Every structure is written in C-alpha cells, then in structure tokens.
C-alpha cells in the first residue's frame, strides 16, 4: 500500500483512475528548502505539473513584495496539489517549498490534460477543487466573523484532520509550531500564545516543544463552538 491510499481524495478514485494517475507521474526529490514552484511561475514544465506528495512536507505560502510571508497550509504526504494553475494555464498564485527532504510525484501539464479527458478523473478533480474552495471560504469567513480564539480552535480542529487532507480520522498531536500556526492565522506569536494558554487552562490542549497536544477534542470544539465532523 502506498501513502496515497490513505488520502480520502485518492482513496475515492476508482482503481483504474488511480492507476492511470500514478502511471502518468514521475518521481522527483526535493532537498530541505528547495522550491517545488514559486509564486508567479508559469504553467510550463517543470513547475507546470500536478504534484503528489509521497514523503516529507510542502509549505504553501504567499509572499508579499515587502518580504512578509503568509503561510496557507502545510501539505502532508498523500495529498495532490497544483491542479488549478495547470487547469487555468495561469501563473502560480502561491509558493510551494519543501520542509525537510521531500519526495513528490509530478504529472506534467500534458499528461494531466490527457487524464482530464477521462470523465471520472475530471469529476474527481472538480470535487477536489470544490472541497478546497469551501475550505478557503470557511477560513475567510472565520477571519471576518470569528474571535481570535474561535479562529485558533477551528484551525486546530482542521489540523487534527490533516488540514487540506480533510481526513475523517483525527489525530491528537499537531506538529505545526506556534510560529507556523500564527502565520497561518495572520496573528502575532504573543497573541496566539495568549489564546492557547486559555485552552490549556480549560484542559483542552497541552503545549509541548514544537507541537500541540489535544487532550479533549470535545472540549476544544466547545471552546470555539466548532460543529463536530460527521463520519
């Protein structure tokens, strides 16, 4: 079993489509800090591809001309990314960089176009785009309407399900650092830590070195009024 078999999106693909996707992909290794693609890159090879993360982690972020960075998410193994720019033939809207040694599978724009001629595969891509659009709208709504504590709780719950992975199963340990989490939320590290201490005092989480441990998921969700996931 490969790592992609545990990913909800890939797992939902019919066997024939999954095999066709893997057959169209070529392996690529990235060293720590190496760019998979940069914001503004065109849809031409080698950055113009649909990528599957086989091992390691990929950080997606948006870079401002003044040097500031906004982290969108950390892509875990099993996820496929980069389809929107390839579909549009447009420049990349964000930057993808390896966090530690990372292996990816790359499906060139040409081969991706061939796969998109398959109705079942193209429908699966449409579902993935829609799912991520819903997630993005939800985070935008949280930013506009929710308190800082509620936003933190909601992102912790998402991270417990792999963030963009959107897994049904949840984990009790979130490995994102407080610095990374603060950048995801667009808040300062001191503000984040202050709100996390509120959750610590309630017994919902514990802060460990380089990670956050969820002690009581129900209590955490109640702290941010998060509706539990439906299994």
């Amino acid at each position: 079993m490969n790592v992609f078999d545990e990913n909800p999106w890939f797992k939902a693909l019919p066997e024939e489509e999954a095999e066709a996707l893997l057959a169209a992909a070529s392996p690529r290794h990235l060293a720590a800090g190496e760019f998979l693609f940069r914001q503004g890159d065109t849809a031409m090879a080698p950055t113009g591809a649909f990528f599957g993360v086989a091992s390691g982690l990929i950080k997606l972020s948006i870079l401002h001309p003044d040097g500031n960075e906004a982290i969108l998410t950390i892509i875990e193994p099993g996820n496929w990314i980069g389809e929107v720019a390839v579909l549009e033939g447009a420049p990349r809207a964000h930057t993808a960089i390896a966090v530690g040694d990372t292996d990816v599978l790359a499906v060139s724009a040409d081969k991706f176009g061939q796969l998109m001629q398959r109705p079942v595969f193209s429908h699966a891509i449409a579902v993935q785009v829609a799912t991520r659009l819903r997630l993005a709208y939800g985070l935008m709504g949280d930013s506009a309407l929710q308190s800082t504590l509620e936003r933190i709780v909601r992102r912790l719950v998402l991270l417990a399900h792999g963030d963009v992975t959107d897994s049904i199963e949840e984990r009790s340990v979130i490995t994102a650092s407080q610095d990374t989490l603060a950048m995801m939320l667009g808040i300062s590290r001191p503000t984040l830590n202050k709100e996390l201490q509120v959750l610590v005092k309630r017994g919902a989480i514990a802060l460990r070195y380089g990670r956050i441990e969820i002690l009581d998921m129900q209590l955490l969700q109640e702290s941010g009024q998060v509706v539990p996931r439906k299994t």
Side-chain angles (χ1 to χ4, degrees), residues 63-76:
L63 303 177
H64 192 274
D66 66 7
N68 287 328
E69 177 186 22
I71 298 177
L72 302 177
T73 189
I74 303 295
I75 303 295
E76 300 180 341

Side-chain angles (χ1 to χ4, degrees), residues 9 13 16-25 50 80 87 106-125:
W9 178 80
L13 286 176
E16 183 178 356
E17 303 305 314
E19 290 178 351
L21 174 57
L22 294 177
F50 182 48
W80 292 81
L87 286 169
V107 179
S108 69
D110 287 343
K111 290 185 177 180
F112 182 75
Q114 293 171 16
L115 289 171
M116 287 297 291
Q117 299 302 310
R118 305 164 68 105
V120 175
F121 182 81
S122 62
H123 175 74
I125 290 294

Side-chain angles (χ1 to χ4, degrees), residues 55-97:
S55 68
L57 298 168
I58 294 289
K59 178 179 70 173
L60 298 186
S61 60
I62 294 177
L63 303 177
H64 192 274
D66 66 7
N68 287 328
E69 177 186 22
I71 298 177
L72 302 177
T73 189
I74 303 295
I75 303 295
E76 300 180 341
N79 282 288
W80 292 81
I81 61 172
E83 69 279 359
V84 172
V86 180
L87 286 169
E88 289 184 313
R92 296 286 185 184
H94 48 262
T95 292
I97 188 170

Side-chain angles (χ1 to χ4, degrees), residues 160-209:
H161 292 276
D163 216 13
V164 298
T165 303
D166 198 26
S167 174
I168 292 176
E169 296 189 12
E170 60 190 32
R171 65 195 67 174
S172 60
V173 176
I174 295 170
T175 55
S177 68
Q178 288 192 42
D179 284 334
T180 296
L181 183 56
M183 293 179 75
M184 285 181 176
L185 292 162
I187 60 178
S188 69
R189 168 67 183 274
T191 296
L192 172 66
N193 187 261
K194 177 182 177 181
E195 300 292 356
L196 289 177
Q197 292 298 335
V198 173
L199 298 173
V200 169
K201 291 179 180 179
R202 293 181 183 178
I205 66 169
L207 301 181
R208 312 296 186 193
Y209 182 75

